[in-house]
Amino acid sequence: DLINKANGLNRASYTAASLKVVDVEVEKATAVLNNPEATKEEVEAVVAALTKAMSGLEIKPNNPSVDTNTPVKPGDTTASVKTGDDSNLVSVLGAVTSLSVIAYLSRKKKK
């Protein structure tokens, strides 16, 4: 889910340098995801690194598509309000848990 979230970013909204960091971490996370022998520690490390990279994304200056100073009018259902959450911890923990279970089951299956 975290890899999909990173791949689904609106790339026009962020600086090239911060997107490059995310892209590098997505490559690493994809390699671990596709490795049936990945350890729990490897999974946790790439999840943490990708989460950190995504929270470090920098919005392009003067980007009209991400205007943080536009007031939200009452009843406006098209605007989103930034609440301070940069990542969804539940989805990160869910991804770690899922990948850990997959790694455990694949090791058990081999035995």
Side-chain angles (χ1 to χ4, degrees):
D1 288 341
L2 190 58
I3 292 171
N4 289 337
K5 184 177 177 183
N7 287 332
L9 291 171
N10 180 358
R11 299 180 71 81
S13 300
Y14 302 101
T15 63
S18 64
L19 283 170
K20 184 175 182 180
V21 173
V22 170
D23 291 340
V24 168
E25 296 306 327
V26 166
E27 283 184 40
K28 291 177 185 177
T30 302
V32 170
L33 179 65
N34 293 329
N35 179 3
E37 296 181 11
T39 65
K40 179 180 176 184
E41 291 78 18
E42 290 172 321
V43 171
E44 290 172 348
V46 295
V47 167
L50 183 53
T51 301
K52 181 178 178 184
M54 289 180 63
S55 68
L57 282 169
E58 297 174 3
I59 296 173
K60 284 184 180 177
N62 300 324
N63 187 345
S65 67
V66 184
D67 186 3
T68 57
N69 296 321
T70 304
V72 177
K73 296 176 184 157
D76 186 358
T77 59
T78 62
S80 64
V81 179
K82 184 158 178 71
T83 61
D85 275 339
D86 288 331
S87 65
N88 185 347
L89 186 58
V90 173
S91 66
V92 171
L93 293 175
V96 170
T97 303
S98 297
L99 291 172
S100 297
V101 169
I102 291 169
Y104 173 77
L105 292 175
S106 75
R107 285 181 182 229
K108 188 175 179 179
K109 187 177 180 182
K110 286 182 181 180
K111 289 181 181 180

